[in-house]
Amino acid sequence: SGAAGDTLIDATRAAEPEIDRRFKHAPLVCAHLYDTLARVFSQQSDWESARNAFAKADAAYHRAHAGGSQAAIISRLRHASMEALADTKGSVERARAMIAAEASKLPSAPPPDPQIAVWLASARGMTELAGGDLHVALEQFSRAATLADSMPAIFDQRTRNKFHQRRAFIYVR
């Protein structure tokens, strides 16, 4: 509504119902918008809204014939990370299954797209952190941080710092 008291989450909730209507002929735009909304909901720990937005993003990627695109894969890996963070019954198992499904589609040689490799490592790290395997979590967060550091034009400093913070968190635990 634009009122001074509106929060980002209020604006997000108000915008979501309009996406399909306003961009019905641009499913890729819908996919990117839903992915963005899913990440906002996830940051607010609104797991159910995040799940719904990730599902809508995935459906829109498929409508755009881009279900196998880099952006779609990364969105599904972010969804897996969110599932691990949700810490609800079965969330770690769901995250592991989602990661396994994505990993099974990636070529074993040559290595996957470097951006996908970063998000795959991050999702594995988050899932194993939530699942209690700190050794694997540390290994995967270290991999994500190292790979992201090698691509500063793609991963901004804030994103790279998040990967390093996650790795450091393992040492605190």
Side-chain angles (χ1 to χ4, degrees):
S1 69
D6 282 353
T7 64
L8 175 60
I9 202 71
D10 293 333
T12 301
R13 289 188 196 294
E16 186 177 12
E18 295 296 312
I19 292 172
D20 281 329
R21 184 185 64 76
R22 292 187 71 190
F23 301 102
K24 65 182 171 184
H25 299 298
L28 200 52
V29 171
C30 287
H32 292 298
L33 290 171
Y34 280 125
D35 180 67
T36 299
L37 293 180
R39 288 183 281 141
V40 170
F41 290 137
S42 181
Q43 290 169 355
Q44 298 293 318
S45 302
D46 183 348
W47 311 124
E48 197 57 38
S49 295
R51 278 186 195 101
N52 290 336
F54 276 123
K56 288 177 181 180
D58 196 46
Y61 279 119
H62 282 89
R63 280 194 316 274
H65 306 288
S69 69
Q70 178 192 64
I73 294 166
I74 290 170
S75 179
R76 289 190 295 269
L77 291 170
R78 286 178 175 149
H79 184 177
S81 291
M82 183 279 309
E83 283 295 340
L85 277 172
D87 195 29
T88 57
K89 183 176 175 149
S91 61
V92 170
E93 292 76 16
R94 281 191 303 276
R96 285 181 179 142
M98 294 167 79
I99 292 166
E102 290 307 312
S104 73
K105 299 174 197 169
L106 299 175
S108 56
D113 173 293
Q115 288 184 61
I116 291 173
V118 169
W119 292 108
L120 179 61
S122 178
R124 284 177 170 155
M126 190 63 69
T127 301
E128 296 314 318
L129 174 62
D133 192 333
L134 299 183
H135 176 74
V136 172
L138 177 61
E139 175 186 285
Q140 292 301 310
F141 284 143
S142 295
R143 177 170 168 68
T146 300
L147 286 169
D149 283 344
S150 73
M151 297 179 272
I154 296 168
F155 293 95
D156 63 19
Q157 189 63 53
R158 182 176 179 199
T159 302
R160 295 192 321 266
N161 285 345
K162 283 183 184 180
F163 293 130
H164 287 283
Q165 288 170 345
R166 290 172 183 161
R167 183 176 64 187
F169 181 74
I170 302 295
Y171 291 112
V172 175
R173 274 192 91 183

